Amino acid sequence: MSKILEEAITVVSPEHCKGCGLCVISCPQDVLFQIDGFNSKGYHPADYTGEGCTGCGMCFYACPEPAAITVYKKGAEHDAA
Amino acid sequence: MAKELIKGNEAVVKAALLAGCQSFYGYPITPASEIAHAGALFFPRLGRTFLQAESEIASINMVYGAAAAGERTMTASSSPGISLKQEGMSYLAGAELPCLIVDVMRGGPGLGNIAPEQSDYNQIVKGGGHGSYELIVLAPNSAQEMADFTRLAFDLADKWRNPVVLLTDGYIGQMMEPVEFGESVGKLPRKEWSLTEGFNMDENLVSSIFLDTDELEAHNAHLQAKYRKIEAEEIRYEAYQCDDAELVLMGFGIVSRILRSVVDRARDEGLKIGLLRPKTLWPFPKDAIREVAGTANKILTVELNFGQMVDDVRLALNGSIPVEFYGRQGGNVPTVEEVYEVAKTHLSAAADVSA
Amino acid sequence: MPKKLVLERPKGFYEKFERKPGDKSNTHYCPGCGHGVIHKLIAEAIEDLGIQDRVIMVSPVGCSVFVYYYFKTGNIQVAHGRAPAVATALKRANPKAIVVSYQGDGDLAAIGGNNILQAANRGEHITVFFVNNAIYGMTGGQMAPTTLPGMKTTTTPYGRDEDNEGPPMKVSELLATLDGPTYIERTAVWDNKSIAKTRMAIRKALQCQMDGKGFSMVETLAACPSGWKVDPKNQYEWMLENMQPFFPLGVKKDIRDERESWHRTPRDNSAEEVSEALDLNVPDPKLFPSEYKKDSYRNPSIKLAGFGGQGILSAGAMLANSAMEQGYHSSWIPSYGPEMRGGTAYCFVNISDQEIGSPTVSHPDVLMAFNRPSLEKFEADVKTGGLLMYDSTIIDVEPTRTDIEVLAVPATKIADGLGNTRMANTVMTGAYLAQTGILSREAMEQTIPKALKRKNLVDANYLALKAGMEFVENQ
Ligand SMILES: Cc1ncc(C[n+]2csc(CCOP(=O)(O)OP(=O)(O)O)c2C)c(N)n1
Ligand code: SF4
Ligand code: SF4
Ligand code: SF4
């Protein structure tokens, strides 16, 4: 079921993340962090705090992995889980 | 079609253009420069690419690019330049890219001189580059064959997806002889595997890297299987007066012309001498050599080096009959008389053995 | 371009990295590697510019050797440093393709230094993405030409010593001094702003090629956290502190506005066009039968010798050519290799009704000597019963052999009488024709216009030929 987003969100795919932390540094809103747990490759994947993303896209461009980060801007369609 | 009296080096260029060669990437070196000169003259007339590259290394890699794009493409050089091309030739063989490389051999090692030698045999036929690969090697001995083998080279290269070398020398390149050129090929079919704009390029990859050990082993097995097929299908040679020959002379390129005169003289004198001339140095006509060894009791290999092809002759015969060697170096080419005298000594020795 | 609402995996990448062993959706790069960031920017640009089906990516040797795993484009993997040479030919073969050479600093600046320099100078219509991480990543963190002074690498364990290894190489500035390239910019991926600039530069560089404006290159300073042994979280600080002073960012050259658009359409040549261009459209020669006058004149090996400039080689070529047109086997070979030394030029011509073996012989059937040194040097070689012809105007000695036929021809004098001493060679050929009968005058006349570069000399040479023949006939 997809819905139109009223706020931007950033989604990190933990299995595609290498835990480098570059997205965390890049985020002007400081709304990304790395979790204490590990993904299957042994990295601490990044995650979104769930609040405060402006959809600026900085994290997307700072991330070296093609599929680790997706940024949904305000007005985008998103599968609400 | 009318014949043209033309130098072997120029015949290569005309034949290449008639064979649909689209690009020439070269770097000057005597005695191969004439091929580049003719290339520079004729390729642009047909809107095709002639580029003098910054080095032999660059030119062989340009050939790699052009071949990957599906073009019939060529380069020409001489011994020191060929040494520089070796890495590229290994890549071409590994990536299975068809192309023509002309080597107009000169004297070595080092800067040597610009006079004819045949001392690139090993670096071309035995694969001077890294890896287990084979180049198809054609050895013309006339201006006509410079033209014919150029056409053949492009056909074989495409048929087998393999680089082909025209291994020749300054004599064959400089000599003018009547040449009859074939017809111009029409539009050639597009190569499915090539990087051709407009044809699903994203499905194609040209590469020689196989990181996985098993994959590289499989790739090599595939190459070797291909080489065995080429050996079965593409051997070419000329046997002249071999049927009853007691002594068979072997040589390629300019040497084979001299040997032919030696045979003619010998036959005039009633001496049973024949000539076996490989036209393909790889694949090497091993069976033909074994066959002449059935009647002959000795083989004399003559080369412009210290003995390179002779190793392959010996391997083919595996000791069944003696194989002798006569060579000149430094750019000296033996005269007919000289070889004739040498041949006679071996003939009498051969007769002694059989007596 | 409509503003994107979702920033996701760009379509310039394959949906799945099928060529990659193991994980098909991650890259093979270390965490935090600059290559990954640059890849993403390129993949996005390819998608946004709508050129995915036209791009050919050239994978170098270095950590980015597997560029072909990722980009949904034509792909080719090439030898270390040679990407610009390969790209040169790919583009010439595919003028409509967008050819991209992706290279590291070892690949581009060290081993491939000359290749990038020359491709840039030729103004090749290619785009180069040059990743400067100041180190060799793939082979274990060795020094690159761009390694910073004092920087420790596995081959500079005491730090790069400028006295020993020289200072870091500024490739963009170097290439920008050339007239060939169109657009060169150095960017970095060390913070949001610099990444945004790199993103724009990559687009400009590709657009430059799409517009046919010539060579474009973006050098991007990027991190190699593994090679530097720096935690990715600190790498940007490290770059700003260490790389920025040596590698000033900015546009180094941009003459896109001044460049004419280049477009090339490959053309198919008709068979007619090819024959025409190769000068093959010559009519079959007329056959003019002739008969040799003596058995010993049959199938001759002829040596022509004299000073360079006496037309020795062209006289030989004329003989070989008319022999061919008369249906004989023939060969012509100039003095070559060690024989070339010492001022005398000579060539061998063979004419035969049999296939020709050795193109040179020790004992020619015929010697045509055009100067005294040639006579003195080669007289002894003439085969017993052979024919020696010499220019008796120039040569003031007489041959001594008695076992051969000797014919003195005042060739230079006869030619002089016709107004040009340089036609002595044609006079001599005429004399040879009349003496032996082996070639007909008509065949030779058919050949002369083809053999002469200066067409205004054709008629004069007909006369010279005739005069040479008459000299013999009137003897
Ligand atoms: C002819 C040749 N010499 C050396 C190598 C080994 N080699 C592989 S990658 C490399 C260095 C690449 O460094 P760089 O271009 O800086 O790329 P990076 O790995 O840093 O991305 C070298 C020397 C090779 N493959 N071929
Ligand atoms: S889009 Fe901008 S605000 Fe949102 S998480 Fe990424 S960097 Fe932070
Ligand atoms: S930048 Fe990408 S790979 Fe690195 S931590 Fe963030 S999401 Fe993971
Ligand atoms: S070694 Fe350096 S350049 Fe290579 S993948 Fe790792 S971080 Fe990237």
Side-chain angles (χ1 to χ4, degrees), chain A residues 10 26-29 31-32 48 52-59 71:
Chain A
T10 286
S26 77
C27 177
Q29 308 304 324
V31 294
L32 297 175
Y48 172 43
C53 172
T54 61
C56 70
M58 300 299 177
C59 57
V71 175

Side-chain angles (χ1 to χ4, degrees), chain B residues 48-254:
Chain B
R48 304 187 191 179
T49 302
F50 174 86
L51 185 64
Q52 179 173 328
E54 59 267 29
S55 67
E56 287 85 353
I57 297 175
S59 60
I60 195 71
N61 282 284
M62 288 172 183
V63 163
Y64 184 88
E71 282 191 342
R72 284 192 162 184
T73 181
M74 70 180 292
T75 184
S77 189
S78 178
S79 313
I82 294 293
S83 301
L84 277 178
K85 287 184 193 288
Q86 287 289 4
E87 184 200 26
M89 284 153 72
S90 165
Y91 271 72
L92 284 157
E96 295 190 88
L97 290 179
C99 65
L100 169 62
I101 300 151
V102 185
D103 179 4
V104 187
M105 291 179 280
R106 59 186 255 179
L111 199 50
N113 66 21
I114 60 170
E117 265 197 19
Q118 295 180 324
S119 43
D120 285 5
Y121 180 93
N122 280 348
Q123 77 154 330
I124 290 294
V125 175
K126 305 292 177 182
H130 56 290
S132 304
Y133 67 90
E134 305 285 357
L135 306 170
I136 297 172
V137 187
L138 306 177
N141 83 348
S142 65
Q144 183 67 56
E145 282 192 351
M146 287 287 262
D148 293 347
F149 287 10
T150 294
R151 164 85 59 132
L152 176 65
F154 282 112
D155 291 342
L156 291 177
D158 283 349
K159 176 176 175 190
W160 297 104
R161 282 194 62 180
N162 209 70
V164 179
V165 178
L166 201 64
L167 190 65
T168 182
D169 55 72
Y171 263 102
I172 300 298
Q174 290 274 323
M175 182 164 56
M176 285 205 284
E177 289 183 307
V179 171
E180 196 172 338
F181 290 99
E183 295 295 317
S184 162
V185 298
K187 202 171 161 53
L188 295 160
R190 194 182 67 83
K191 295 165 189 166
E192 294 294 326
W193 47 265
S194 70
L195 300 175
T196 313
E197 196 270 326
F199 293 91
N200 299 331
M201 290 196 293
D202 57 8
E203 288 166 14
N204 290 347
L205 167 67
V206 172
S207 161
S208 63
I209 183 173
F210 296 87
L211 205 60
D212 182 81
T213 51
D214 292 337
E215 271 181 39
L216 183 55
E217 190 174 49
H219 175 63
N220 270 298
H222 154 74
L223 290 178
Q224 293 301 322
K226 174 175 94 173
Y227 300 149
R228 298 295 84 77
K229 270 200 212 155
I230 298 175
E231 282 183 322
E233 290 181 34
E234 305 295 358
I235 287 173
R236 287 166 171 80
Y237 61 90
E238 178 191 359
Y240 181 61
Q241 306 274 27
C242 282
D243 287 351
D244 62 344
E246 288 162 15
L247 174 70
V248 169
L249 308 178
M250 283 193 68
F252 67 96
I254 182 63

